[in-house]
Amino acid sequence: MQSDNQNVDRIDVSYVAHLARLHLDKEEIESFQGQLEETLDYVRKISELDVEGIEPTAHAVSVQNVFRADEERPGLNREQVLENSPAHNEEQILVPKIIE
Amino acid sequence: MSLEIENLDLQAAVELLEGGSCSSEELVHALLSRITARDSSLCAYLSVDGDASLRQARDADKARASGSTAPLLGIPLAVKDVINVSGDSCHCASKILEGYVSPYDATVIGRLRDAGAVFVGRTNMDEFAMGSSTENSAFGVTRNPCSIDHVPGGSSGGSAAAVAGGEAVAALGSDTGGSIRQPASFCGCVGLKPSYGRVSRYGLTAFASSLDQIGPMTRTVRDAAALLEVMAGHDERDSSSINMAVPGYSSCLGEDLRGMKLGLPKEYFVAGTDSEVDNAVRAAVEECSKLGAEIVEISLPHTDYAVATYYIIATAEASANLARFDGVRYGHRAEGVINPIDMYGKTRAQGFGAEVKRRIILGTYVLSSGYHDAYYLRAQKVRTLIRQDFEKVFEDCDALLTPVTPTPAYRIGEKVDDPLRMYLGDVFTVPANLAGICGLSVPCGVSSDGLPIGLQVLGPAFKEENILRVGHAYELARANSKNG
Amino acid sequence: MNYLVSIGLEVHVQLRTVSKMFCGCATGFGAPPNTHVCPVCLGYPGTLPVMNQDAIHYTVVAGLLLGSNISDYSKFDRKSYFYPDMPKNYQISQYDRPLCDGGSVDIEIDGLQKQIGITRIHLEEDVGKSTHFSGKSGVDFNRAGIPLMEIVTEPDITSADEAMSFLVALKQIMLYGEVSGCNLEEGNMRCDVNCSVRPETQSRLGTKTEIKNMNTFKGVHAALLYEIDRQVQALESGEQILQETRRWDPDAGITIQMRVKESEHDYRYFPEPDLMPVVLDSDKIEEWRAQLPELPRERRTRFVEQYGLPDYDAGILVEDKALADYYEEAAKQSANPKAISNWMMTEMLRLLSERGLELGDIAMKPESLAGLVKLTDSNTINSSTAREVFGILFAEGGDPAHIVKEKGLAQVGDSDLLDKLVKQAILDNPRSVEDYRSGKKAAAQFLVGQVMRLTKGKANPKLVQDLLRTKLDG
């Protein structure tokens, strides 16, 4: 985030929306563009702080080594699973054809 | 008998049921009538299952007849639509979860069920808990029971409105950046955000996993203590839940605050806060002082960076958490799609509302290649600074007193097109989530427009007993001075 | 122009846990689709992962066996990309703090030792499996969430043969460490192959291509032979190699372009907030190190010393852990471990390969082999009968002493009877007797054969020989 180069942070809304698999229409892209730029402009205030040598916090609690034993437990029955899915055959969840 | 259900708090309901002066079935019946009469104007609930709740109530009555003394036996509760209840929908106020039936109970639901609670209905919220006004629900706007053209706050606006509007004895909410405390403050009820790790998140549809907590929303502080006692505790299904004994919160409550040191963070008493809010909170501080607490001014120097930090971290985590809503395994799927990419793009475009889309894009952006370090990683470091601010002051203070929000509830529609302005309203609530500490919102006044004002009591991580003690003593004193 | 080849492998090894990486669902192979699933591995709203302790343990064991440095601090991260077989549309994996760093695998190629460097080993969850119909694909999530260890090598491999040797050696170590079933048919070992070539005058590596999702060693070998040749030819004709992902088509015997490496591969890694870090103190690591199984090389030396086997034989036996375990089980119950080894090196391996079987498929137990050796050593049966009994045991199993008794196969050692039969053989074959006496000593063998025939092969051949000699020479 270079403050001397304003263009670096101009968010490419349609590209990021594609990364997030959101099919936006033109009006949405336009209105989001301004709103997101304004928000980004605001959150960039964290660059004012000197964070040299500060460890990042990923968890609000410092707990480690939380494990479970390797034991089998019953899961869901297939009817329940298939009923929740928008499209399925007798045993699988169906999606439009995956093309590599 | 005639039940004044709209004024009944949880403790009173427990006493009624235990004393045999009313059955759970009568209680639930009265509540359902109240909801029918009132909710068309409030829109606090997304769904109410009368038959199922009456069935649970009758079961509770039978259990009592056969000797059960479960602590919440027959008590009706409202549940925010973000928490999974087996066999029930869990829309998270989103169209994308249309048709989803949850196959499991959230851990808190299981615990409350075991304690005898009856689940009456699902309350409205901002879609996926993203918002501060409950205007971002796909199923209608909830209104503030104190003033129908004002927002109830959010994202747990439905739960707050239900409790404050007499449509629920108590409710569950979730708080990622203030979503319990802020609506409690706007509607004039009590809301508690437990310390991160105190209550299991298993079954809470995730918004921002490192910030989310489920908590009680009630009419009194004592009720919040009673509910938390049942909800809290270690859960092996949630790796972030702490394996630590749960104190008997109700028994920690008292009538005075002698021996307690309460801090006033100067960064929370600043220009820009509504003067009525400022006055009400200062009066509450004065009351706490009269109750015997020592009041000290302290500083949390990184407060001003909390909103920025929060909106980076919360949206980053949300962008991954909400990736699972893709139309494959459950929920809505767009029609006429030709390949998976098309399916994802259209399903998610149709299923999510504008605020959710904005946050997903923001979160995706701050994690993306080239921006990750400047935004996400840096925000995690600032989060450390914010956490350290609190750790330092809590070496000395038992709790902190602050406003919950800079202003009372605003009008519906007032901020809906200005997301940044909406975000800035979270300035006093997000630091607690970033630091993982606990926070309580207690009513402390009413504005000249008749809108409630809340006092926020912040406590060290896993010291819910401190903030409950402060909140309870203050609440009693306030009630006495009003009556006296 | 000569070309240098650099190959790096990313091998995904399925760990042998009974439950998945982050939930209690079963990991067994071949269940009907979508029957080993639960809200967690289906990515239902509100669910949370919890780490399988044994998956961590097995990965560390693998790291210790490969000489890796075991991280004292390790964490999980979310790797985001959308795919219908991926329930959460992010994979829980490890980005910058894997469980193991470094290490190596020794291979032997054309009689020379070579070391292939290991970059890292990390743990992640598998995805589901899709099958394709007309216009649609079906997804089975049974495999989603199964623990996979990803072993990444340095680009030290320089030929298809070396790649093959590496995979065989790696599989052997994984089997010895009992961290994986290594069953290739069940997809327990799958690998992505990175390959580049460059003129020998060039020091920097050439542009690499990645061949995805190979699930047989032979496939890796064949694909590399093709790909190396393809790249060399492209360079020869002045073409540029594209950084791309390719797919091996085993029927056509060629690799095919899948996609050019897009900038779109932006996985947006960040620490998994739902999982806590793994912090392994040195005591724990040392405890696990102390429990490490013996590796093939150590076992080979021990076999030579403990059982008096020739080094070559010991080498063959330890190559396959199952074979070595079988040997050791039988040897422990026998006074003649060398004989056990002989049987296994000859009859056992021959029959297995002739019939295309694995050791686990046969009914014969190690104690039966020990019993067979005992019957031979005590002269209860002769060697040709023993081969016959081995064949029966191999096919049907059972107790060799019982088989010998039931089928009347015990060696005839009754000298009165044999004396009579020897006399008869002399009477019936005067010419052979004459030949013998005139100096053709080999004629005695014919006479021995005649006695063996009369006893249906059961006579003690040594006894027969002694009796004959006494009679003919006397």
Side-chain angles (χ1 to χ4, degrees), chain B residues 69-100:
Chain B
T69 55
L72 299 174
L73 192 60
I75 296 294
L77 294 177
V79 178
K80 187 178 180 182
D81 199 33
V82 74
I83 300 169
N84 281 266
V85 178
S86 183
D88 206 350
S89 63
C90 182
H91 287 113
C92 304
S94 180
K95 282 190 282 192
I96 208 155
L97 273 165
E98 191 174 54
Y100 167 68

PDB file of all heavy atoms in Angstrom, chain B residues 69-100:
ATOM      1  N   THR B  69     -36.644 -30.600  37.766  1.00  0.00           N
ATOM      2  CA  THR B  69     -36.372 -29.254  38.281  1.00  0.00           C
ATOM      3  C   THR B  69     -35.352 -28.549  37.403  1.00  0.00           C
ATOM      4  O   THR B  69     -34.537 -27.760  37.878  1.00  0.00           O
ATOM      5  CB  THR B  69     -35.813 -29.315  39.717  1.00  0.00           C
ATOM      6  OG1 THR B  69     -34.658 -30.158  39.703  1.00  0.00           O
ATOM      7  CG2 THR B  69     -36.835 -29.843  40.689  1.00  0.00           C
ATOM      8  N   ALA B  70     -35.365 -28.863  36.100  1.00  0.00           N
ATOM      9  CA  ALA B  70     -34.430 -28.223  35.167  1.00  0.00           C
ATOM     10  C   ALA B  70     -34.577 -26.707  35.282  1.00  0.00           C
ATOM     11  O   ALA B  70     -35.695 -26.202  35.442  1.00  0.00           O
ATOM     12  CB  ALA B  70     -34.712 -28.685  33.743  1.00  0.00           C
ATOM     13  N   PRO B  71     -33.464 -25.966  35.229  1.00  0.00           N
ATOM     14  CA  PRO B  71     -33.500 -24.537  35.579  1.00  0.00           C
ATOM     15  C   PRO B  71     -34.378 -23.672  34.664  1.00  0.00           C
ATOM     16  O   PRO B  71     -34.878 -22.646  35.104  1.00  0.00           O
ATOM     17  CB  PRO B  71     -32.039 -24.108  35.487  1.00  0.00           C
ATOM     18  CG  PRO B  71     -31.355 -25.157  34.679  1.00  0.00           C
ATOM     19  CD  PRO B  71     -32.097 -26.424  34.950  1.00  0.00           C
ATOM     20  N   LEU B  72     -34.541 -24.065  33.409  1.00  0.00           N
ATOM     21  CA  LEU B  72     -35.346 -23.237  32.499  1.00  0.00           C
ATOM     22  C   LEU B  72     -36.590 -23.997  32.043  1.00  0.00           C
ATOM     23  O   LEU B  72     -37.129 -23.720  30.975  1.00  0.00           O
ATOM     24  CB  LEU B  72     -34.506 -22.832  31.284  1.00  0.00           C
ATOM     25  CG  LEU B  72     -33.255 -22.002  31.581  1.00  0.00           C
ATOM     26  CD1 LEU B  72     -32.438 -21.808  30.308  1.00  0.00           C
ATOM     27  CD2 LEU B  72     -33.629 -20.639  32.186  1.00  0.00           C
ATOM     28  N   LEU B  73     -37.029 -24.915  32.850  1.00  0.00           N
ATOM     29  CA  LEU B  73     -38.131 -25.792  32.440  1.00  0.00           C
ATOM     30  C   LEU B  73     -39.372 -24.990  32.047  1.00  0.00           C
ATOM     31  O   LEU B  73     -39.923 -24.247  32.857  1.00  0.00           O
ATOM     32  CB  LEU B  73     -38.460 -26.771  33.580  1.00  0.00           C
ATOM     33  CG  LEU B  73     -39.381 -27.924  33.203  1.00  0.00           C
ATOM     34  CD1 LEU B  73     -38.781 -28.769  32.098  1.00  0.00           C
ATOM     35  CD2 LEU B  73     -39.682 -28.784  34.424  1.00  0.00           C
ATOM     36  N   GLY B  74     -39.748 -25.133  30.779  1.00  0.00           N
ATOM     37  CA  GLY B  74     -40.961 -24.497  30.286  1.00  0.00           C
ATOM     38  C   GLY B  74     -40.810 -23.036  29.918  1.00  0.00           C
ATOM     39  O   GLY B  74     -41.800 -22.373  29.590  1.00  0.00           O
ATOM     40  N   ILE B  75     -39.593 -22.504  29.968  1.00  0.00           N
ATOM     41  CA  ILE B  75     -39.380 -21.083  29.665  1.00  0.00           C
ATOM     42  C   ILE B  75     -39.256 -20.884  28.145  1.00  0.00           C
ATOM     43  O   ILE B  75     -38.405 -21.480  27.497  1.00  0.00           O
ATOM     44  CB  ILE B  75     -38.098 -20.572  30.345  1.00  0.00           C
ATOM     45  CG1 ILE B  75     -38.219 -20.646  31.863  1.00  0.00           C
ATOM     46  CG2 ILE B  75     -37.763 -19.151  29.885  1.00  0.00           C
ATOM     47  CD1 ILE B  75     -39.257 -19.707  32.446  1.00  0.00           C
ATOM     48  N   PRO B  76     -40.114 -20.041  27.579  1.00  0.00           N
ATOM     49  CA  PRO B  76     -40.035 -19.801  26.131  1.00  0.00           C
ATOM     50  C   PRO B  76     -38.895 -18.849  25.773  1.00  0.00           C
ATOM     51  O   PRO B  76     -38.695 -17.839  26.454  1.00  0.00           O
ATOM     52  CB  PRO B  76     -41.387 -19.167  25.797  1.00  0.00           C
ATOM     53  CG  PRO B  76     -41.871 -18.583  27.072  1.00  0.00           C
ATOM     54  CD  PRO B  76     -41.251 -19.347  28.211  1.00  0.00           C
ATOM     55  N   LEU B  77     -38.156 -19.198  24.747  1.00  0.00           N
ATOM     56  CA  LEU B  77     -37.051 -18.362  24.279  1.00  0.00           C
ATOM     57  C   LEU B  77     -37.193 -18.103  22.784  1.00  0.00           C
ATOM     58  O   LEU B  77     -37.709 -18.940  22.043  1.00  0.00           O
ATOM     59  CB  LEU B  77     -35.702 -19.060  24.512  1.00  0.00           C
ATOM     60  CG  LEU B  77     -35.245 -19.314  25.946  1.00  0.00           C
ATOM     61  CD1 LEU B  77     -33.930 -20.071  25.940  1.00  0.00           C
ATOM     62  CD2 LEU B  77     -35.107 -17.998  26.712  1.00  0.00           C
ATOM     63  N   ALA B  78     -36.710 -16.937  22.353  1.00  0.00           N
ATOM     64  CA  ALA B  78     -36.661 -16.629  20.920  1.00  0.00           C
ATOM     65  C   ALA B  78     -35.205 -16.794  20.470  1.00  0.00           C
ATOM     66  O   ALA B  78     -34.289 -16.501  21.224  1.00  0.00           O
ATOM     67  CB  ALA B  78     -37.113 -15.189  20.677  1.00  0.00           C
ATOM     68  N   VAL B  79     -35.030 -17.300  19.264  1.00  0.00           N
ATOM     69  CA  VAL B  79     -33.677 -17.613  18.791  1.00  0.00           C
ATOM     70  C   VAL B  79     -33.386 -16.849  17.507  1.00  0.00           C
ATOM     71  O   VAL B  79     -34.159 -16.917  16.537  1.00  0.00           O
ATOM     72  CB  VAL B  79     -33.533 -19.138  18.541  1.00  0.00           C
ATOM     73  CG1 VAL B  79     -32.146 -19.473  18.007  1.00  0.00           C
ATOM     74  CG2 VAL B  79     -33.814 -19.914  19.824  1.00  0.00           C
ATOM     75  N   LYS B  80     -32.274 -16.158  17.488  1.00  0.00           N
ATOM     76  CA  LYS B  80     -31.851 -15.437  16.291  1.00  0.00           C
ATOM     77  C   LYS B  80     -31.694 -16.439  15.145  1.00  0.00           C
ATOM     78  O   LYS B  80     -31.192 -17.549  15.347  1.00  0.00           O
ATOM     79  CB  LYS B  80     -30.523 -14.724  16.578  1.00  0.00           C
ATOM     80  CG  LYS B  80     -30.055 -13.785  15.469  1.00  0.00           C
ATOM     81  CD  LYS B  80     -28.744 -13.088  15.866  1.00  0.00           C
ATOM     82  CE  LYS B  80     -28.244 -12.144  14.777  1.00  0.00           C
ATOM     83  NZ  LYS B  80     -26.946 -11.512  15.133  1.00  0.00           N
ATOM     84  N   ASP B  81     -32.072 -16.027  13.971  1.00  0.00           N
ATOM     85  CA  ASP B  81     -32.142 -16.934  12.816  1.00  0.00           C
ATOM     86  C   ASP B  81     -30.778 -17.411  12.316  1.00  0.00           C
ATOM     87  O   ASP B  81     -30.672 -18.037  11.274  1.00  0.00           O
ATOM     88  CB  ASP B  81     -32.900 -16.226  11.679  1.00  0.00           C
ATOM     89  CG  ASP B  81     -33.421 -17.206  10.640  1.00  0.00           C
ATOM     90  OD1 ASP B  81     -33.773 -18.334  11.013  1.00  0.00           O
ATOM     91  OD2 ASP B  81     -33.447 -16.840   9.445  1.00  0.00           O
ATOM     92  N   VAL B  82     -29.737 -17.165  13.055  1.00  0.00           N
ATOM     93  CA  VAL B  82     -28.383 -17.517  12.629  1.00  0.00           C
ATOM     94  C   VAL B  82     -27.901 -18.782  13.353  1.00  0.00           C
ATOM     95  O   VAL B  82     -26.820 -19.288  13.068  1.00  0.00           O
ATOM     96  CB  VAL B  82     -27.446 -16.312  12.884  1.00  0.00           C
ATOM     97  CG1 VAL B  82     -27.150 -16.148  14.361  1.00  0.00           C
ATOM     98  CG2 VAL B  82     -26.173 -16.351  12.061  1.00  0.00           C
ATOM     99  N   ILE B  83     -28.739 -19.280  14.295  1.00  0.00           N
ATOM    100  CA  ILE B  83     -28.339 -20.419  15.128  1.00  0.00           C
ATOM    101  C   ILE B  83     -29.116 -21.667  14.695  1.00  0.00           C
ATOM    102  O   ILE B  83     -30.341 -21.620  14.544  1.00  0.00           O
ATOM    103  CB  ILE B  83     -28.596 -20.105  16.623  1.00  0.00           C
ATOM    104  CG1 ILE B  83     -27.782 -18.871  17.042  1.00  0.00           C
ATOM    105  CG2 ILE B  83     -28.270 -21.302  17.503  1.00  0.00           C
ATOM    106  CD1 ILE B  83     -28.144 -18.309  18.403  1.00  0.00           C
ATOM    107  N   ASN B  84     -28.422 -22.762  14.481  1.00  0.00           N
ATOM    108  CA  ASN B  84     -29.055 -23.984  13.981  1.00  0.00           C
ATOM    109  C   ASN B  84     -29.855 -24.723  15.053  1.00  0.00           C
ATOM    110  O   ASN B  84     -29.372 -24.950  16.163  1.00  0.00           O
ATOM    111  CB  ASN B  84     -27.995 -24.943  13.426  1.00  0.00           C
ATOM    112  CG  ASN B  84     -27.536 -24.538  12.039  1.00  0.00           C
ATOM    113  OD1 ASN B  84     -28.057 -25.021  11.035  1.00  0.00           O
ATOM    114  ND2 ASN B  84     -26.578 -23.616  11.972  1.00  0.00           N
ATOM    115  N   VAL B  85     -31.080 -25.055  14.694  1.00  0.00           N
ATOM    116  CA  VAL B  85     -31.953 -25.862  15.549  1.00  0.00           C
ATOM    117  C   VAL B  85     -32.394 -27.042  14.694  1.00  0.00           C
ATOM    118  O   VAL B  85     -32.903 -26.855  13.587  1.00  0.00           O
ATOM    119  CB  VAL B  85     -33.183 -25.050  16.012  1.00  0.00           C
ATOM    120  CG1 VAL B  85     -34.108 -25.913  16.850  1.00  0.00           C
ATOM    121  CG2 VAL B  85     -32.751 -23.806  16.790  1.00  0.00           C
ATOM    122  N   SER B  86     -32.179 -28.227  15.190  1.00  0.00           N
ATOM    123  CA  SER B  86     -32.447 -29.423  14.404  1.00  0.00           C
ATOM    124  C   SER B  86     -33.891 -29.473  13.889  1.00  0.00           C
ATOM    125  O   SER B  86     -34.829 -29.225  14.644  1.00  0.00           O
ATOM    126  CB  SER B  86     -32.151 -30.661  15.255  1.00  0.00           C
ATOM    127  OG  SER B  86     -32.331 -31.810  14.483  1.00  0.00           O
ATOM    128  N   GLY B  87     -34.024 -29.770  12.610  1.00  0.00           N
ATOM    129  CA  GLY B  87     -35.342 -29.906  12.003  1.00  0.00           C
ATOM    130  C   GLY B  87     -35.975 -28.579  11.612  1.00  0.00           C
ATOM    131  O   GLY B  87     -37.096 -28.538  11.104  1.00  0.00           O
ATOM    132  N   ASP B  88     -35.274 -27.504  11.859  1.00  0.00           N
ATOM    133  CA  ASP B  88     -35.819 -26.171  11.637  1.00  0.00           C
ATOM    134  C   ASP B  88     -35.037 -25.489  10.499  1.00  0.00           C
ATOM    135  O   ASP B  88     -33.886 -25.822  10.247  1.00  0.00           O
ATOM    136  CB  ASP B  88     -35.615 -25.374  12.935  1.00  0.00           C
ATOM    137  CG  ASP B  88     -36.626 -24.254  13.094  1.00  0.00           C
ATOM    138  OD1 ASP B  88     -37.355 -23.965  12.130  1.00  0.00           O
ATOM    139  OD2 ASP B  88     -36.665 -23.670  14.188  1.00  0.00           O
ATOM    140  N   SER B  89     -35.663 -24.521   9.871  1.00  0.00           N
ATOM    141  CA  SER B  89     -34.915 -23.733   8.892  1.00  0.00           C
ATOM    142  C   SER B  89     -33.913 -22.864   9.648  1.00  0.00           C
ATOM    143  O   SER B  89     -34.020 -22.690  10.856  1.00  0.00           O
ATOM    144  CB  SER B  89     -35.870 -22.849   8.092  1.00  0.00           C
ATOM    145  OG  SER B  89     -36.486 -21.934   8.971  1.00  0.00           O
ATOM    146  N   CYS B  90     -32.942 -22.350   8.942  1.00  0.00           N
ATOM    147  CA  CYS B  90     -31.990 -21.405   9.557  1.00  0.00           C
ATOM    148  C   CYS B  90     -31.541 -20.518   8.411  1.00  0.00           C
ATOM    149  O   CYS B  90     -30.528 -20.740   7.781  1.00  0.00           O
ATOM    150  CB  CYS B  90     -30.822 -22.160  10.184  1.00  0.00           C
ATOM    151  SG  CYS B  90     -29.642 -21.092  11.020  1.00  0.00           S
ATOM    152  N   HIS B  91     -32.378 -19.524   8.100  1.00  0.00           N
ATOM    153  CA  HIS B  91     -32.161 -18.725   6.892  1.00  0.00           C
ATOM    154  C   HIS B  91     -31.066 -17.683   7.040  1.00  0.00           C
ATOM    155  O   HIS B  91     -30.574 -17.177   6.044  1.00  0.00           O
ATOM    156  CB  HIS B  91     -33.454 -17.992   6.521  1.00  0.00           C
ATOM    157  CG  HIS B  91     -34.498 -18.892   5.948  1.00  0.00           C
ATOM    158  ND1 HIS B  91     -35.675 -19.168   6.600  1.00  0.00           N
ATOM    159  CD2 HIS B  91     -34.530 -19.587   4.805  1.00  0.00           C
ATOM    160  CE1 HIS B  91     -36.398 -19.996   5.860  1.00  0.00           C
ATOM    161  NE2 HIS B  91     -35.724 -20.265   4.762  1.00  0.00           N
ATOM    162  N   CYS B  92     -30.748 -17.310   8.261  1.00  0.00           N
ATOM    163  CA  CYS B  92     -29.834 -16.196   8.494  1.00  0.00           C
ATOM    164  C   CYS B  92     -30.356 -14.945   7.769  1.00  0.00           C
ATOM    165  O   CYS B  92     -29.573 -14.131   7.273  1.00  0.00           O
ATOM    166  CB  CYS B  92     -28.416 -16.531   8.028  1.00  0.00           C
ATOM    167  SG  CYS B  92     -27.749 -18.007   8.790  1.00  0.00           S
ATOM    168  N   ALA B  93     -31.677 -14.856   7.682  1.00  0.00           N
ATOM    169  CA  ALA B  93     -32.349 -13.743   6.997  1.00  0.00           C
ATOM    170  C   ALA B  93     -31.853 -13.557   5.568  1.00  0.00           C
ATOM    171  O   ALA B  93     -31.791 -12.446   5.057  1.00  0.00           O
ATOM    172  CB  ALA B  93     -32.214 -12.441   7.795  1.00  0.00           C
ATOM    173  N   SER B  94     -31.498 -14.669   4.932  1.00  0.00           N
ATOM    174  CA  SER B  94     -30.989 -14.614   3.565  1.00  0.00           C
ATOM    175  C   SER B  94     -31.807 -15.511   2.651  1.00  0.00           C
ATOM    176  O   SER B  94     -32.242 -16.591   3.054  1.00  0.00           O
ATOM    177  CB  SER B  94     -29.533 -15.082   3.539  1.00  0.00           C
ATOM    178  OG  SER B  94     -29.035 -15.031   2.221  1.00  0.00           O
ATOM    179  N   LYS B  95     -31.930 -15.055   1.417  1.00  0.00           N
ATOM    180  CA  LYS B  95     -32.622 -15.880   0.427  1.00  0.00           C
ATOM    181  C   LYS B  95     -31.787 -17.094   0.023  1.00  0.00           C
ATOM    182  O   LYS B  95     -32.298 -18.072  -0.483  1.00  0.00           O
ATOM    183  CB  LYS B  95     -32.937 -15.044  -0.816  1.00  0.00           C
ATOM    184  CG  LYS B  95     -34.144 -14.141  -0.610  1.00  0.00           C
ATOM    185  CD  LYS B  95     -34.585 -13.521  -1.912  1.00  0.00           C
ATOM    186  CE  LYS B  95     -33.657 -12.363  -2.259  1.00  0.00           C
ATOM    187  NZ  LYS B  95     -34.155 -11.516  -3.341  1.00  0.00           N
ATOM    188  N   ILE B  96     -30.481 -17.001   0.259  1.00  0.00           N
ATOM    189  CA  ILE B  96     -29.617 -18.068  -0.231  1.00  0.00           C
ATOM    190  C   ILE B  96     -29.803 -19.362   0.552  1.00  0.00           C
ATOM    191  O   ILE B  96     -29.452 -20.438   0.064  1.00  0.00           O
ATOM    192  CB  ILE B  96     -28.137 -17.621  -0.253  1.00  0.00           C
ATOM    193  CG1 ILE B  96     -27.391 -18.392  -1.359  1.00  0.00           C
ATOM    194  CG2 ILE B  96     -27.458 -17.809   1.095  1.00  0.00           C
ATOM    195  CD1 ILE B  96     -26.180 -17.707  -1.897  1.00  0.00           C
ATOM    196  N   LEU B  97     -30.373 -19.275   1.752  1.00  0.00           N
ATOM    197  CA  LEU B  97     -30.600 -20.491   2.541  1.00  0.00           C
ATOM    198  C   LEU B  97     -32.033 -21.002   2.440  1.00  0.00           C
ATOM    199  O   LEU B  97     -32.461 -21.821   3.260  1.00  0.00           O
ATOM    200  CB  LEU B  97     -30.167 -20.274   3.991  1.00  0.00           C
ATOM    201  CG  LEU B  97     -28.678 -20.567   4.193  1.00  0.00           C
ATOM    202  CD1 LEU B  97     -28.164 -20.027   5.512  1.00  0.00           C
ATOM    203  CD2 LEU B  97     -28.402 -22.059   4.086  1.00  0.00           C
ATOM    204  N   GLU B  98     -32.726 -20.521   1.428  1.00  0.00           N
ATOM    205  CA  GLU B  98     -34.083 -20.976   1.137  1.00  0.00           C
ATOM    206  C   GLU B  98     -34.099 -22.519   1.066  1.00  0.00           C
ATOM    207  O   GLU B  98     -33.311 -23.115   0.340  1.00  0.00           O
ATOM    208  CB  GLU B  98     -34.415 -20.420  -0.247  1.00  0.00           C
ATOM    209  CG  GLU B  98     -35.831 -20.522  -0.676  1.00  0.00           C
ATOM    210  CD  GLU B  98     -35.985 -19.778  -2.014  1.00  0.00           C
ATOM    211  OE1 GLU B  98     -35.223 -20.088  -2.950  1.00  0.00           O
ATOM    212  OE2 GLU B  98     -36.852 -18.895  -2.076  1.00  0.00           O
ATOM    213  N   GLY B  99     -34.988 -23.108   1.847  1.00  0.00           N
ATOM    214  CA  GLY B  99     -35.158 -24.563   1.740  1.00  0.00           C
ATOM    215  C   GLY B  99     -34.229 -25.375   2.619  1.00  0.00           C
ATOM    216  O   GLY B  99     -34.406 -26.579   2.776  1.00  0.00           O
ATOM    217  N   TYR B 100     -33.248 -24.734   3.220  1.00  0.00           N
ATOM    218  CA  TYR B 100     -32.310 -25.486   4.074  1.00  0.00           C
ATOM    219  C   TYR B 100     -32.997 -25.880   5.375  1.00  0.00           C
ATOM    220  O   TYR B 100     -33.609 -25.054   6.034  1.00  0.00           O
ATOM    221  CB  TYR B 100     -31.084 -24.617   4.365  1.00  0.00           C
ATOM    222  CG  TYR B 100     -30.191 -25.128   5.475  1.00  0.00           C
ATOM    223  CD1 TYR B 100     -29.458 -26.299   5.324  1.00  0.00           C
ATOM    224  CD2 TYR B 100     -30.077 -24.435   6.687  1.00  0.00           C
ATOM    225  CE1 TYR B 100     -28.628 -26.769   6.350  1.00  0.00           C
ATOM    226  CE2 TYR B 100     -29.250 -24.891   7.710  1.00  0.00           C
ATOM    227  CZ  TYR B 100     -28.540 -26.059   7.542  1.00  0.00           C
ATOM    228  OH  TYR B 100     -27.726 -26.518   8.555  1.00  0.00           O
TER     229      TYR B 100
END
